[in-house]
Amino acid sequence: MLNLDFSVPDALLLPKRVTDLREHLSKANAHWFTMSPEWVDADDSSPNSISTLRSCITAAHAERTIPHADSPFENYKTANARLEFRAGQHCGYTLPGPADTIQDWSYAIRFQAHSGEALTLLTLNFSDSNNYAFLQHVGGAMTFQDRKGALNVSTPFKSTEDCLVVAGQSDGRFWLRVNNETVVSETQATPDLAGPSHLFIGCRSQRAGLKKKLGTFELTDVIFWPDRNVLKADHEMTVQALDLLGLRG
């Protein structure tokens, strides 16, 4: 061990690292939905139809959305603890938000798109403003925007391997990070996002008319922080933990 008899600048010190991701996320008031068999509940009528996703660190439950009249609700479990979402099938999940108005929030998703486009991945839908912020993979890009078009931030994305995407809102800005790439943000306007919120996984809402926005991908993890944007500099430890402790491949 090297001992120094003088002080060094803080910038030269190694940052503190998270060693227990579950404990860290719990302290951060996050909901973590992982597709491991012990945290998903199957419908009694069909082993391929998953009725509920349960957070592994809170009491939160994400329930399945209302299926289309002409398409049964089916989510296909795979051998490697993933859920398969199929194009045009309304087989997402929804979690009621914890607050009427959220100024700072973020979500993360780990998924794999084997071919084509995953389309809608995550949405935070605000009912009072008839607006929502959604994350989608389309046209060779990862895009994070609101329905009314106030903000739109995107970055090229063509990978079919395991991918970790984090997106959030704070300070009147949208923030986006794909894997360990540089965070990008947009500051053109403040989106109209207010009122009771719902988190949607794999879709944008309960509406039956959005089938063309539903793509094919395999889901592994979703994390939702209802009161902080983890892409801001003061939450750097959280993003490092996601990279280092199993949420990237």
Side-chain angles (χ1 to χ4, degrees):
M1 181 176 66
L2 176 64
N3 292 311
L4 302 176
D5 59 0
F6 57 88
S7 299
V8 297
D10 290 343
L12 296 182
L13 299 177
L14 292 176
K16 183 179 179 181
R17 289 188 173 182
V18 174
T19 57
D20 187 329
L21 181 60
R22 184 168 175 173
E23 179 183 3
H24 179 77
L25 292 176
S26 179
K27 291 179 179 179
N29 195 33
H31 305 300
W32 181 6
F33 300 98
T34 182
M35 302 305 111
S36 298
E38 63 267 33
W39 298 109
V40 300
D41 296 331
D43 192 315
D44 292 338
S45 62
S46 172
N48 284 332
S49 182
I50 304 302
S51 61
T52 306
L53 309 180
R54 292 181 287 112
S55 170
C56 65
I57 54 178
T58 68
H61 290 67
E63 303 293 340
R64 62 187 179 186
T65 54
I66 301 171
H68 297 292
D70 59 348
S71 177
F73 188 103
E74 288 186 318
N75 247 322
Y76 299 87
K77 291 187 294 183
T78 60
N80 52 354
R82 301 172 186 261
L83 285 186
E84 182 181 346
F85 290 71
R86 297 189 176 184
Q89 292 193 18
H90 205 286
C91 51
Y93 298 86
T94 181
L95 170 72
D100 288 342
T101 301
I102 301 177
Q103 298 298 330
D104 292 72
W105 58 272
S106 51
Y107 47 38
I109 185 168
R110 181 186 173 198
F111 74 99
Q112 186 175 78
H114 291 290
S115 60
E117 299 171 327
L119 300 183
T120 304
L121 294 164
L122 294 172
T123 303
L124 196 60
N125 197 315
F126 295 81
S127 57
D128 280 4
S129 55
N130 190 29
N131 199 10
Y132 50 75
F134 63 97
L135 178 70
Q136 69 171 349
H137 165 221
V138 64
M142 189 66 61
T143 301
F144 181 45
Q145 65 185 98
D146 74 306
R147 176 176 176 266
K148 294 184 177 181
L151 290 177
N152 183 320
V153 58
S154 66
T155 187
F157 178 82
K158 296 182 180 180
S159 174
T160 60
E161 299 178 354
D162 269 1
C163 179
L164 174 67
V165 181
V166 185
Q169 177 192 353
S170 59
D171 305 325
R173 302 165 61 184
F174 274 10
W175 309 55
L176 176 65
R177 180 180 186 264
V178 176
N179 291 329
N180 58 356
E181 297 175 5
T182 302
V183 176
V184 293
S185 64
E186 177 59 70
T187 59
Q188 289 182 352
T190 301
D192 178 17
L193 297 172
S197 61
H198 285 70
L199 174 69
F200 285 90
I201 300 171
C203 59
R204 300 187 187 183
S205 70
Q206 297 277 16
R207 283 184 54 198
L210 295 176
K211 293 175 68 173
K212 64 182 180 180
K213 305 297 185 181
L214 308 175
T216 297
F217 65 95
E218 289 187 355
L219 174 66
T220 305
D221 297 277
V222 168
I223 304 173
F224 177 47
W225 294 267
D227 59 3
R228 67 196 67 195
N229 175 11
V230 298
L231 292 178
K232 296 181 69 173
D234 52 348
H235 296 296
E236 184 178 7
M237 282 178 54
T238 297
V239 176
Q240 290 176 344
L242 299 181
D243 288 343
L244 296 173
L245 298 180
L247 281 191
R248 273 212 61 217

